[in-house]
Amino acid sequence: MKTENRFGPKGWTPERLGSLKGKTYVITGTTTGIGYEATRLLLSKGAKVVMLNRDGTRSAAIIKKLKNELGDNVDVSFIHMDLSILDSVRRAALKVKKQVPNIDALICNAAISQIARQEITIDGFESHLGVNYFGHFLLCGLLFDKIEESKGRIVIVGSNAYKMGLKRINFEDMNFDTHYNAWNPYAHSKLALMMFAYELQRRIQAKNKNVQVYVCHPGASRTDLIKGENLNKFVKTLWAILSPFMAQSAEKGSWPLVLCATEDMLKSEAYYGPTKRSELVGPVDECVLEKHVLDRKDAAKLWTVSEQKTSFKWDL
């Protein structure tokens, strides 16, 4: 798919941002990496940010850090949510609806990656699919009416991993009970998340709803995503060696998230992120989008399966 260079040779940068005072952003996964950097950037422009994280202690430390850097008057708060537990997502969404008057953008950023051995969530999902996809599918559905009331948007943080792995939804074995490895389930979860986003765009347009959905990716960014005791040791070691040379900062990795949360007149069925060196780094703009992620038949099937597995029926 051919793309156009909308933002010029330097791509999108935070220099395009004006004041965001009066705007409210709800973000998943903000205690580190691109989620933290996106939060910091939005707050620095006067926005209110509500962080949805599973670790209350780390969230409190992040709030203290942000206030120390940006001032005590920054409007940042925390609501507990564990994406691996659907009941936790439901409780968090209820609190958001009660406590947050408007949502200008819900940014679905939190993710896990490279889990070395198969793990199953309490709801029976392979862990990558449960956290990266099903949790966000449910969260978007539960908050959709609130976002529409605000004439807001949903930002889906995808990954170029969607181009790898099976390149299709593994309907016959969604938990990878056979042939599990650390890579394919992650790629599968991000493909599912992106296919959901484009299907959501189509359903919104068909019903003339007042919500925009945009998809981005951070490229190769130096974050804590590929760290932890349960992750693939080879991948962790390789990343530790190569990331100083082939990756960009987490700050730059957050720019596509902020672009999609704030910029006007973005395209649907588009994909925004770094555009150089195989889309790992470089100026942020529209990227090439491969056809398999736009497969409407599989997207519709995935939607039906997702409603069944999360016990949530969208009004779309």
Side-chain angles (χ1 to χ4, degrees):
M1 181 183 295
K2 187 177 180 181
T3 64
E4 59 183 50
N5 187 352
R6 173 179 172 181
F7 299 110
K10 292 184 178 180
W12 188 94
T13 72
E15 293 176 359
R16 291 180 63 90
L17 289 172
S19 172
L20 296 175
K21 188 174 182 179
K23 301 288 187 179
T24 300
Y25 301 94
V26 178
I27 312 179
T28 68
T30 67
T31 57
T32 188
I34 61 173
Y36 166 78
E37 294 293 346
T39 297
R40 187 178 65 81
L41 179 52
L42 293 167
L43 289 171
S44 74
K45 296 297 181 177
K48 173 181 179 178
V49 176
V50 180
M51 309 186 303
L52 303 184
N53 300 320
R54 63 180 177 178
D55 191 323
T57 301
R58 292 181 69 185
S59 295
I62 288 299
I63 290 175
K64 183 178 180 180
K65 180 180 179 181
L66 289 166
K67 286 180 176 289
N68 285 340
E69 179 182 353
L70 301 174
D72 286 336
N73 60 330
V74 294
D75 195 344
V76 56
S77 59
F78 157 73
I79 291 175
H80 176 267
M81 185 184 71
D82 187 337
L83 282 164
S84 71
I85 304 172
L86 294 184
D87 275 347
S88 178
V89 176
R90 295 184 184 102
R91 289 191 295 269
L94 186 60
K95 289 182 180 180
V96 170
K97 288 191 283 187
K98 287 182 177 180
Q99 298 176 17
V100 183
N102 63 288
I103 301 175
D104 291 281
L106 169 64
I107 304 176
C108 298
N109 165 69
I112 59 173
S113 176
Q114 305 297 326
I115 304 300
R117 293 173 296 279
Q118 184 197 47
E119 295 181 6
I120 302 298
T121 71
I122 193 172
D123 298 292
F125 309 137
E126 186 278 317
S127 58
H128 294 92
L129 195 64
V131 172
N132 300 351
Y133 173 58
F134 282 127
H136 281 125
F137 176 90
L138 179 60
L139 180 67
C140 290
L142 292 169
L143 295 182
F144 186 82
D145 289 345
K146 172 71 74 172
I147 298 168
E148 186 181 21
E149 288 173 8
S150 309
K151 299 181 180 179
R153 60 183 75 182
I154 295 171
V155 177
I156 297 297
V157 182
S159 166
N160 281 335
Y162 90 92
K163 305 176 185 180
M164 307 167 197
L166 301 180
K167 293 189 179 182
R168 64 178 179 83
I169 301 301
N170 195 26
F171 290 112
E172 66 275 18
D173 184 13
M174 293 189 76
N175 281 350
F176 287 82
D177 292 325
T178 58
H179 306 299
Y180 180 90
N181 60 48
W183 179 255
N184 279 348
Y186 172 69
H188 183 245
S189 71
K190 284 297 188 176
L191 173 61
L193 185 62
M194 291 172 63
M195 290 186 78
F196 154 66
Y198 297 122
E199 177 67 9
L200 179 56
Q201 283 181 346
R202 292 188 285 266
R203 290 173 181 247
I204 287 171
Q205 290 167 4
K207 289 290 189 75
N208 292 315
K209 297 287 187 176
N210 217 338
V211 176
Q212 304 299 318
V213 182
Y214 300 118
V215 184
C216 63
H217 75 96
S221 300
R222 292 187 288 274
T223 70
D224 290 338
L225 185 60
I226 306 181
K227 291 184 179 180
E229 294 180 358
N230 296 331
L231 306 190
N232 182 280
K233 292 182 179 179
F234 172 76
V235 172
K236 286 195 295 183
T237 301
L238 185 62
W239 180 247
I241 295 170
L242 294 179
S243 63
F245 307 100
M246 63 179 289
Q248 62 189 356
S249 67
E251 179 185 3
K252 287 187 176 180
S254 74
W255 291 359
L257 284 65
V258 178
L259 180 164
C260 287
T262 62
E263 189 72 34
D264 292 330
M265 304 300 292
L266 296 178
K267 293 170 59 177
S268 60
E269 289 200 347
Y271 184 49
Y272 295 94
T275 54
K276 299 297 183 182
R277 294 199 340 220
S278 300
E279 299 178 350
L280 295 176
V281 296
V284 173
D285 213 310
E286 185 181 351
C287 298
V288 173
L289 190 58
E290 295 196 4
K291 291 182 179 180
H292 68 275
V293 76
L294 299 174
D295 187 307
R296 297 193 176 201
K297 182 178 179 181
D298 274 4
K301 182 176 180 179
L302 175 63
W303 187 282
T304 299
V305 169
S306 301
E307 287 187 329
Q308 293 170 348
K309 289 187 176 294
T310 60
S311 300
F312 179 81
K313 180 72 173 178
W314 286 68
D315 186 24
L316 285 175

